[in-house]
Amino acid sequence: MKSSRIWDFWAGHYEGLWVQKWSLKPTRDAVVEELKRSYETDAAFTLLDAGCGVGELLEEIHTVFPKAGVFGLDYSLQMTKKTKERVPEGVICHQAVEELETINKIIFPENFDVILCTHSFPYYKDQQKVLNLFHRRLKPAGRLFLAFASESTLYDRGIMPLVKLTTGNAKYPSKKELRGMIKEEFAYRTEENVAKHFWMPTLLFVVLQKYSKEVQR
């Protein structure tokens, strides 16, 4: 994963970025609505937000599901500090997602019911390795929510270089590429483009379910 310095810088400005309205807020809404379809608001389940940023999504989830165990992980120290302020009831770690396995199991549970990875996936150098890691840390039939800008169309491939000017190098998998990466370990459950305007790139939101004895291919 690229240096955390750029994300430490953006931590102080994150809530005011234009992407909040056009990208991040629609994604948070989609995640919360999907969780509502699966859980009662008083349900107790464990959820990890991998690449939690400044904690806006975890805060919204904890508000709706106060009995859920919420955990967060981010490479940026400044962003994890903001998340801890937003969600003091959560367990937040300053750690690279790729190092999830090294976190003491006393701090994080062995497995989670749900893992979220919203808008950080393109910045992982070895995306297949990260998906494998998520698979190992999910409970049987646990679910992975992925959301990211996707180079799925010719327009996407033309506009994404402009996005990289503010965030640095990243790889934005197409829908086809993602299906290729997950086919051995996850069942593809739902797929949605949460972009609200025609001039935006594809904002892919998918729900994947871990293959297990209960979930056959």
Side-chain angles (χ1 to χ4, degrees), residues 100-201:
L100 175 59
E101 294 279 43
T102 68
I103 297 176
N104 193 311
K105 299 304 187 294
I106 297 176
I107 300 175
F108 274 14
E110 180 70 30
N111 301 105
F112 297 91
D113 293 296
V114 180
I115 294 179
L116 312 176
C117 183
T118 62
H119 297 289
S120 62
F121 188 66
Y123 304 104
Y124 303 136
K125 290 182 180 180
D126 191 337
Q127 295 172 344
Q128 184 67 68
K129 179 180 178 181
V130 170
L131 288 171
N132 295 344
L133 176 57
F134 289 157
H135 182 270
R136 291 197 299 273
R137 295 307 296 269
L138 280 169
K139 293 180 180 180
R143 293 185 301 156
L144 171 62
F145 292 12
L146 287 178
F148 56 89
S150 170
E151 293 185 348
S152 292
T153 68
L154 182 62
Y155 177 76
D156 294 337
R157 293 189 287 275
I159 198 173
M160 290 314 297
L162 299 177
V163 176
K164 294 178 184 179
L165 293 176
T166 58
T167 61
N169 292 329
K171 176 174 174 51
Y172 302 90
S174 67
K175 297 176 184 179
K176 182 179 180 180
E177 288 172 329
L178 178 63
R179 284 181 179 271
M181 285 190 281
I182 64 93
K183 64 182 180 180
E184 297 298 326
E185 296 185 324
F186 291 97
Y188 212 97
R189 291 307 181 203
T190 65
E191 174 185 289
E192 178 183 0
N193 179 8
V194 298
K196 301 300 183 183
H197 300 278
F198 73 92
W199 48 265
M200 296 180 65

